[in-house]
Amino acid sequence: MEKIKCLIIGSGPAGYTAAIYAARANLMPVLYEGVLPGGQLTTTTDIENFPGYPTGISGTQMMEDLRNQALRFGTDIRFGVVTKVELKQNHNLVIVDGEKEIEAMVVIVSTGASAKYLGLPDEAKYAGMGVSACATCDGFFYRKKTVAVVGGGDTACEDALYLSGLCKKVHLLVRKDYLRASKVMQDRVMKQENIEVMFKHEVIGLYGENGVEGAMLLKNRGGEEEELSLPIDGLFLAIGHNPNSKLFSEYLHTDKEGYIKTEGATPITNVPGVFAAGDVADPRYRQAITAAASGCKAAMEAERYLVENDAK
Ligand code: NDP
């Protein structure tokens, strides 16, 4: 079994920032990248609100830069997915890819969150055949076609705008009669000619012979419901995320939605020496900048913990 001081699980802005700080504090961190190296930002378009980039930066580029910065200070970045954990104070046992065993004195959990689905059987039926939760990954396949985006938040608006540059027509399906997105995103969506916002519409099913050819919708008209079909070639989900905390829920306290609970504004969890940073512990802000900040805090707490426990 490999014994290390500091293990970081996850490679989003929280994980990489934790790695930069931990490596500079000489904690010799090992970071496992997980299923999606670089995290959710690699599936987004341009990031316009991260301070320091006046003209914006692509999500992929930002993650590449963060990765290189973590490497520069000696972080041991590894491919691999953590498949099992046993969190016991100072002896946290972690299994990677079902076989490799690691014992870490401190663990920083920064496993992020994953896209939510509506839960319709048709989503599974048409997975990869017209249903996607990542517009920037799959939008290219729908060039000059008609698609629908489900959701009314910033992600849905961002996805609709991105797809409007590729597709003939984009329907934005919003279950309420308003958009939850920021004003600037709402304005952009409303101004885009080939985006049609359909308020009070919910998807109840999909149809098509060899892939999606349309969606069945439920329209709420003043309390009365009406079913209608909308011909589309693809359906994009943008209805929020679930925290990737299942692996840890036996040991770490979580809220009812599965977000890891931490002490106040700190990344300290209920297990001493285990810290949670980024979207896996943040149901409220979920921004790259806030994730990075919590990664910094987690590394600082990890260092403090090791010093206080005479382990550094
Ligand atoms: P949000 O939780 O903000 O929005 C989710 C949307 O999906 C809501 O409109 C919600 O509807 C809708 N929804 C949820 N479940 C269903 C369902 N079963 N059927 C139909 N609609 C559903 O998630 P986002 O991913 O959009 O954003 C998360 C955070 O990230 C936010 O803080 C956002 O500001 C931020 N963000 C910022 C960006 C930027 O600044 N560039 C880009 C992307 C995200 P309802 O309103 O009815 O609950």
Side-chain angles (χ1 to χ4, degrees):
M1 182 184 322
E2 184 183 3
K3 293 195 177 189
I4 61 170
K5 256 188 210 172
C6 174
L7 176 71
I8 299 169
I9 310 174
S11 55
Y16 283 142
T17 306
I20 293 164
Y21 274 76
R24 293 186 82 249
N26 216 15
L27 305 191
M28 291 170 285
V30 172
L31 180 149
Y32 275 95
E33 289 185 309
V35 226
L36 182 64
Q40 291 177 70
L41 286 183
T42 58
T43 67
T44 190
T45 46
D46 281 354
I47 299 162
E48 295 180 337
N49 50 10
F50 201 99
Y53 298 98
T55 54
I57 182 169
S58 84
T60 322
Q61 186 59 53
M62 178 188 268
M63 297 323 294
E64 188 63 31
D65 289 348
L66 282 174
R67 189 178 193 278
N68 285 334
Q69 200 171 346
L71 281 173
R72 182 180 151 207
F73 298 111
T75 307
D76 183 350
I77 299 179
R78 303 178 184 174
F79 283 119
V81 177
V82 171
T83 45
K84 195 171 184 300
V85 296
E86 257 179 59
L87 303 178
K88 290 182 205 147
Q89 197 171 353
N90 296 345
H91 300 283
N92 301 294
L93 182 70
V94 166
I95 302 195
V96 182
D97 295 330
E99 49 185 31
K100 183 172 171 53
E101 291 186 1
I102 295 182
E103 193 186 286
M105 270 145 91
V106 295
V107 175
I108 296 174
V109 178
S110 47
T111 44
S114 302
K116 268 187 196 168
Y117 284 80
L118 294 166
L120 301 170
D122 283 347
E123 285 171 323
K125 183 175 166 189
Y126 294 102
M129 295 167 66
V131 174
S132 168
C134 179
T136 44
C137 315
D138 300 325
F140 189 73
F141 302 116
Y142 298 89
R143 272 169 302 160
K144 299 195 168 64
K145 294 190 173 174
T146 298
V147 297
V149 175
V150 186
D154 280 320
T155 306
C157 289
E158 195 176 71
D159 287 359
L161 285 164
Y162 176 73
L163 291 166
S164 72
L166 293 166
C167 304
K168 188 169 69 186
K169 171 103 187 176
V170 179
H171 298 274
L172 183 58
L173 306 174
V174 186
R175 67 177 172 184
K176 292 203 176 126
D177 59 358
Y178 62 87
L179 289 168
R180 191 199 282 208
S182 54
K183 185 78 174 64
V184 59
M185 292 302 264
Q186 291 191 29
D187 289 348
R188 283 185 201 167
V189 161
M190 293 303 181
K191 275 191 201 138
Q192 191 65 23
E193 273 182 6
N194 61 343
I195 299 180
E196 183 180 344
V197 185
M198 298 171 70
F199 290 109
K200 292 185 159 189
H201 281 81
E202 285 187 53
V203 179
I204 51 170
L206 295 163
Y207 59 87
E209 294 267 312
N210 300 310
V212 170
E213 289 171 14
M216 292 307 301
L217 307 180
L218 202 60
K219 182 178 180 184
N220 190 325
R221 208 198 287 263
E224 279 186 28
E225 288 182 336
E226 179 193 330
E227 266 192 39
L228 62 138
S229 86
L230 178 72
I232 50 168
D233 303 294
L235 182 78
F236 287 86
L237 284 320
I239 57 169
H241 292 82
N242 284 321
N244 298 322
S245 61
K246 217 169 157 194
L247 202 59
F248 312 95
S249 57
E250 195 184 328
Y251 302 94
L252 302 182
H253 296 160
T254 56
D255 71 7
K256 64 179 188 327
E257 287 183 32
Y259 289 93
I260 296 174
K261 283 188 183 171
T262 58
E263 268 178 34
T266 75
I268 298 170
T269 70
N270 56 294
V271 176
V274 177
F275 307 94
D279 285 13
V280 73
D282 179 9
R284 197 177 174 108
Y285 300 106
R286 295 173 291 186
Q287 303 296 300
I289 185 81
T290 50
S294 68
C296 155
K297 291 187 205 173
M300 291 176 77
E301 292 293 349
E303 188 197 5
R304 193 167 298 166
Y305 178 86
L306 289 171
V307 169
E308 282 169 4
N309 287 274
D310 289 330
K312 204 191 156 198

